[in-house]
Amino acid sequence: MHDQQLKSQYSSLGISAPVLQFGEDILATLTDRFSAIDQVAEYNQLKVLKSMQECQVREACLTGTTGYGYNDIGRETLEAVYAGIFHTQDALVRPQITCGTHALALALMSNLRPGDELLSPVGRPYDTLEEVIGIRPSKGSLAEYGITYAQVDLLPNGSFDYDGIRNAVNPRTKLVTIQRSKGYATRPTLSVKRIGELISFVRKIKPDVICMVDNCYGEFVETVEPTDVGADMAVGSLIKNPGGGLAPIGGYIAGTKECVENAAYRLTSPGLGKEVGASLGVLPNFYQGLFLAPTVTASALKGAIFAASLYERLGFSVFPDSKASRHDIIQAVTFGKPEGVIAFCKGIQAAAPVDSFVTPEPWDMPGYDAPVIMAAGAFVSGSSIELSADGPIRQPYTVYFQGGLTWPHAKFGILKSVQSLADEGIIKM
Ligand SMILES: *Cc1c(COP(=O)(O)O)cnc(C)c1O
């Protein structure tokens, strides 16, 4: 194919020659990083395949069950495949787990009892967890059940406050929750290695404490997962990385037999546990999505690094910066003015396969203290492994960008955001 052919294809989709050239110049500097990402994807593809083969995934696994879902071979095999990938004794992978917050709430509520204390040694947890824990009062929170919460913030330089953690651990400390991704905070995302160091430290103080990792956005970014470095549970959402863009719903908990059993009894009912829960028709998407997840995550990761490099060169502050090593797929870009956030999101929306013709606008979303703008044109509603962006319209006017099922689409979306900023006169090409 001629270079010219590709250029005119981009041009027909509204990308000007200077924007495309700017993108190509940046891309030329990213060859080494991209090949490192491809290598991780290659390793993880084999990891997933190996577990599927060892568990003897067969055609019968792809048909679902209805009603009670007894003896659902597809569901049971898939849970064994997850356990194989995460190197855990067991796993719970269900469409009845509605989202990441639900999976985390389930893991916490099923493994904590009244009188126990939950400790976060990595600062404030993800927004939605505040209501689960009861940091913000909420019906049915852990606090309502007499489960207390303690928190130790990271030190200003991002390192663990080991003294603070040692002081916080007490006889009631039952479970330690560690969030891998920074989410929408501005602390660094934790590498699996650092998570392992933290777990070892906590275990030295209290050997029987349960260590849970909120693994959202982190799956398959590295060759190891938190359960490889001592976590009792890794918990996440299937409409993020491990669903590969195909899972239409679902969450997972991979962990020790004891922890997973507790979660299963809470999800269904004491006495029933993992034995029930019809898979309906979602198993082909769960299996195929998991199979694609390593390369889909790699595409999203390339998009994040490409965006960081472009916007850094354009003079905006980006987090993580273009050189930082990556442990999740989220990229923040700070524009310093609302017009930047809005133009960025318009560009992402215009690049979508679904709803590309709509214009996103800031609105007063429940639970937020400022209007929020969101760009998403996804096959699965709310899916953030698909190309998407959002940002609150408040200082410092930062947009959060993530996802991209394929690298060419992530690339196009980012070029489209740059084009949108150029068209609005916010940047000069
Ligand atoms: C997305 C996310 C959650 C919550 O998942 P939902 O599916 O949105 O409920 C929790 N923790 C982190 C770090 C996340 O990124």
Side-chain angles (χ1 to χ4, degrees):
M1 184 184 59
H2 289 294
D3 219 27
Q4 199 48 48
Q5 241 181 316
L6 190 56
K7 275 186 190 149
S8 67
Q9 189 70 292
Y10 272 114
S11 159
S12 73
L13 283 160
I15 305 293
S16 67
V19 168
L20 182 60
Q21 191 55 52
F22 177 50
E24 294 305 323
D25 292 347
I26 294 287
L27 262 186
T29 68
L30 297 175
T31 326
D32 289 349
R33 296 209 68 188
F34 277 27
S35 75
I37 291 171
D38 286 334
Q39 212 167 20
V40 172
E42 187 174 345
Y43 179 91
N44 284 330
Q45 180 71 79
L46 296 177
K47 176 156 74 171
V48 169
L49 186 62
K50 182 162 178 274
S51 188
M52 286 187 172
Q53 293 186 350
E54 283 173 356
C55 295
Q56 300 197 329
V57 174
R58 62 196 66 199
E59 198 177 351
C61 292
L62 302 175
T63 57
T65 53
T66 58
Y68 294 99
Y70 292 132
N71 304 313
D72 187 322
I73 182 191
R75 178 193 72 211
E76 286 167 6
T77 305
L78 181 68
E79 290 180 335
V81 170
Y82 265 74
I85 291 166
F86 284 92
H87 304 119
T88 52
Q89 292 170 338
D90 206 349
L92 191 64
V93 186
R94 303 280 168 131
Q96 287 84 8
I97 302 176
T98 56
C99 61
T101 305
H102 186 188
L104 290 156
L106 179 62
L108 292 171
M109 294 182 163
S110 61
N111 283 286
L112 288 161
R113 296 290 179 271
D116 288 342
E117 185 157 280
L118 167 68
L119 170 67
S120 170
V122 296
R124 242 179 147 70
Y126 194 76
D127 247 47
T128 55
L129 267 291
E130 294 190 344
E131 285 175 89
V132 171
I133 296 167
I135 301 172
R136 277 185 283 145
S138 178
K139 285 193 195 305
S141 69
L142 293 174
E144 272 197 352
Y145 286 89
I147 295 157
T148 56
Y149 172 68
Q151 176 178 310
V152 178
D153 291 338
L154 296 173
L155 294 172
N157 67 3
S159 61
F160 301 126
D161 178 1
Y162 285 118
D163 290 337
I165 297 169
R166 193 181 296 110
N167 291 334
V169 173
N170 65 62
R172 293 198 300 111
T173 309
K174 172 78 174 294
L175 196 153
V176 169
T177 179
I178 302 166
Q179 186 179 307
R180 177 172 177 180
S181 167
K182 66 189 172 305
Y184 302 107
T186 46
R187 66 154 168 94
T189 285
L190 303 177
S191 65
V192 172
K193 182 163 173 283
R194 288 192 68 203
I195 290 172
E197 288 161 7
L198 180 56
I199 292 174
S200 307
F201 177 77
V202 171
R203 283 259 161 71
K204 258 187 232 133
I205 308 170
K206 191 162 191 192
D208 60 347
V209 78
I210 299 170
C211 295
M212 180 189 94
V213 174
D214 174 350
N215 210 23
C216 283
Y217 285 132
E219 298 92 350
F220 301 122
V221 171
E222 301 184 45
T223 54
V224 284
E225 297 291 341
T227 43
D228 292 315
V229 295
D232 297 291
M233 284 187 279
V235 182
S237 162
L238 298 197
I239 66 167
K240 293 180 180 171
N241 308 15
L246 292 185
I249 190 171
Y252 78 90
I253 299 172
T256 63
K257 192 170 182 323
E258 169 91 12
C259 286
V260 171
E261 201 166 41
N262 277 332
Y265 284 135
R266 175 83 192 210
L267 175 66
T268 63
S269 156
L272 299 181
K274 293 185 80 186
E275 303 301 317
V276 295
S279 57
L280 306 173
V282 300
L283 288 176
N285 291 313
F286 280 14
Y287 278 106
Q288 201 175 353
L290 179 63
F291 181 72
L292 294 176
T295 50
V296 168
T297 302
S299 300
L301 214 46
K302 288 177 183 174
I305 292 169
F306 183 50
S309 309
L310 276 172
Y311 281 98
E312 198 172 73
R313 185 78 64 87
L314 287 167
F316 296 104
S317 110
V318 297
F319 189 80
D321 70 36
S322 65
K323 300 281 187 298
S325 76
R326 297 276 161 161
H327 310 289
D328 70 10
I329 63 167
I330 302 177
Q331 180 62 47
V333 182
T334 298
F335 289 101
K337 52 181 177 182
E339 296 78 20
V341 173
I342 294 167
F344 183 98
C345 287
K346 282 183 178 169
I348 296 296
Q349 188 72 40
V354 180
D355 288 336
S356 62
F357 51 89
V358 306
T359 306
E361 283 178 14
W363 61 296
D364 289 309
M365 249 178 94
Y368 290 83
D369 57 1
V372 178
I373 185 168
M374 296 193 162
F379 296 105
V380 171
S381 182
S383 167
S384 45
I385 187 64
E386 298 187 52
L387 193 70
S388 49
D390 42 80
I393 305 299
R394 65 160 130 80
Q395 285 285 2
Y397 301 104
T398 296
V399 76
Y400 298 90
F401 160 85
Q402 69 268 309
L405 295 183
T406 69
W407 157 241
H409 184 227
K411 175 180 174 182
F412 174 62
I414 294 154
L415 291 175
K416 201 78 180 155
S417 73
V418 173
Q419 186 72 54
S420 172
L421 284 148
D423 292 348
E424 304 267 340
I426 297 165
I427 54 167
K428 280 216 169 44
M429 270 296 114

